[in-house]
Amino acid sequence: MHRTSLKDLAEELGVSIATVSRALHSSPEIGLEMQQRVKELAQLRNYRPNPFAQSLRKEAPKVIGVVVPNLVTHYFAAVLDGIEDEAARAGYSVISTNTHEDYSAEQRAVDNFIGLHVVGIIASLTQNTTDYHHFETLGDLGVPLVFFGRTCLTDRFSSVTANGDEAAQQATQHLIETGSRRIAFIGGPNHLDMVRRRKHGYLEALRENRIPIDRELVVCDNIEYDIAQKNTVALLQRPDRPDAILACNDILLFAAYNAIVQQGLRVPEDVALIGFTEDVHARYTTPRLSAIEDQSFLMGQTACRLLLANINGDSKVRKEIVPQKLVIRDTSAKR
């Protein structure tokens, strides 16, 4: 869809572009009635001023906006690296914004990127996002958008996800085959598609092995270290405590690991442990962590390729899956 310009407003009102510009800036040279007409039409047509317009009149900036919920984690930083690598090859620059898992910040980030007239946006949802209106607005404006990791509106926008359901099922199956029976799942908010996929794989493994599903062992809460640690301690203090834990991401994994140690329990003899995390983290703990490892750099590259294709006219909605790898180390097999 065409983005409304000053020229569009001027033609619709039958006045000059200069008149529209002055009216939008409340110039005393323009009467109040005309100012009101111009501003009402600008709002109706969802006109967004371009701050780069004066300095870049001949060529629009080739800038991609990236919205991530937690840039300090290795996963999101590695995804951003992949995006930047792919964008640079195509001659694009990247601006990223960290929402700090805050929905309002996510809304502002999207709105700011619209105002900056980026050529497209790559985004991963905050854990609190359940209203997708700000992303729907991008579609209405014709701004290319691709989701990764935590996604929504996948029938309308392209997305890149991991095979979290298959990976979680494989990890749970490994725990079962190496002696665990009471396997807990520690996840994030249930409305996140990423959490639903991983929980589904965990539950499927239990069903296939005819292990009764104990809902008390499935804990889905905010993705925050202190909350996850508290929830893990509560599980471990039960008289029928779990003998294994599958953690949904790296924050939850390390919270669970420290809770086990603080309770004076051994890993994996008392409680086996596997989690979704990055290789750089899993290899350097003692004992070394068994992990479901993301190919996050590849995920970033893939998301950027989809966005560039969209920018260049490919309107097809695509759903790409980047496989994860189950790497068995020291924390999962009971001795």
Side-chain angles (χ1 to χ4, degrees):
M1 292 179 65
H2 177 68
R3 295 188 193 182
T4 302
S5 66
L6 288 175
K7 182 180 178 182
D8 296 327
L9 297 176
E11 289 178 349
E12 188 166 346
L13 289 166
V15 298
S16 69
I17 294 175
T19 296
V20 171
S21 179
R22 290 176 183 138
L24 289 172
H25 287 88
S26 303
S27 170
E29 299 176 20
I30 307 299
L32 293 178
E33 181 181 350
M34 177 57 72
Q35 287 187 32
Q36 184 175 354
R37 286 179 60 199
V38 171
K39 290 175 182 178
E40 287 177 352
L41 182 62
Q43 184 175 12
L44 180 65
R45 298 288 179 259
N46 211 354
Y47 167 76
R48 305 277 180 149
N50 185 349
F52 296 150
Q54 291 183 348
S55 60
L56 295 166
R57 292 176 181 176
K58 293 184 179 179
E59 182 179 354
K62 297 174 69 173
V63 178
I64 293 169
V66 181
V67 182
V68 296
N70 192 347
L71 192 53
V72 299
T73 67
H74 188 273
Y75 168 75
F76 287 113
V79 171
L80 182 58
D81 277 349
I83 293 170
E84 291 177 340
D85 179 79
E86 195 66 25
R89 294 173 194 267
Y92 287 77
S93 299
V94 173
I95 301 175
S96 62
T97 184
N98 185 357
T99 62
H100 302 282
E101 298 283 12
D102 181 78
Y103 173 68
S104 296
E106 180 182 271
Q107 289 180 301
R108 289 194 301 273
V110 170
D111 194 57
N112 288 339
F113 280 150
I114 294 173
L116 289 171
H117 287 238
V118 297
V119 294
I121 294 176
I122 300 172
S124 186
L125 305 179
T126 78
Q127 62 179 308
N128 301 315
T129 301
T130 56
D131 182 345
Y132 312 126
H133 176 74
H134 50 306
F135 292 118
E136 292 171 330
T137 297
L138 293 177
D140 296 338
L141 291 172
V143 179
L145 171 64
V146 171
F147 289 105
F148 74 91
R150 307 175 189 174
T151 67
C152 66
L153 304 172
T154 53
D155 292 334
R156 187 171 183 183
F157 301 105
S158 293
S159 59
V160 184
T161 58
N163 61 336
D165 50 349
E166 295 176 14
Q169 187 168 354
Q170 292 171 5
T172 307
Q173 183 65 37
H174 164 72
L175 290 170
I176 294 168
E177 291 175 354
T178 53
S180 298
R181 287 297 176 271
R182 287 186 54 75
I183 303 169
F185 177 85
I186 299 179
N190 279 306
H191 66 265
L192 289 178
D193 60 328
M194 176 197 74
V195 174
R196 292 197 303 268
R197 288 192 298 271
R198 295 176 181 185
K199 183 168 67 173
H200 175 75
Y202 155 80
L203 294 172
E204 281 299 296
L206 297 182
R207 293 188 187 101
E208 287 191 0
N209 289 273
R210 298 182 179 178
I211 294 176
I213 296 171
D214 184 347
R215 295 293 174 181
E216 297 297 321
L217 297 181
V218 181
V219 181
C220 292
D221 206 335
N222 284 344
I223 302 175
E224 294 181 25
Y225 184 91
D226 291 342
I227 291 175
Q229 188 174 37
K230 180 180 178 181
N231 288 336
T232 305
V233 168
L235 284 172
L236 297 175
Q237 290 180 344
R238 292 171 57 96
D240 55 348
R241 72 169 185 242
D243 60 1
I245 294 173
L246 174 63
C248 196
N249 78 348
D250 48 2
I251 293 174
L252 305 180
L253 172 63
F254 283 96
Y257 178 84
N258 284 331
I260 294 169
V261 173
Q262 288 178 8
Q263 292 298 301
L265 300 170
R266 300 167 300 164
V267 180
E269 290 86 354
D270 297 319
V271 185
L273 182 63
I274 294 181
F276 288 79
T277 188
E278 296 290 313
D279 175 71
V280 68
H281 293 144
R283 281 190 292 170
Y284 301 118
T285 62
T286 303
R288 298 175 307 152
L289 287 166
S290 294
I292 304 157
E293 295 179 356
D294 292 295
Q295 298 189 73
S296 44
F297 185 85
L298 177 59
M299 180 168 284
Q301 288 181 311
T302 305
C304 192
R305 288 188 193 121
L306 290 181
L307 185 71
L308 292 173
N310 198 178
I311 291 169
N312 292 321
D314 182 2
S315 60
K316 184 175 181 179
V317 175
R318 303 182 185 277
K319 299 177 184 179
E320 297 287 342
I321 296 177
V322 176
Q324 295 173 304
K325 301 179 293 183
L326 176 60
V327 181
I328 304 304
R329 295 190 179 94
D330 304 329
T331 62
S332 56
K334 293 186 179 298
R335 302 183 180 90

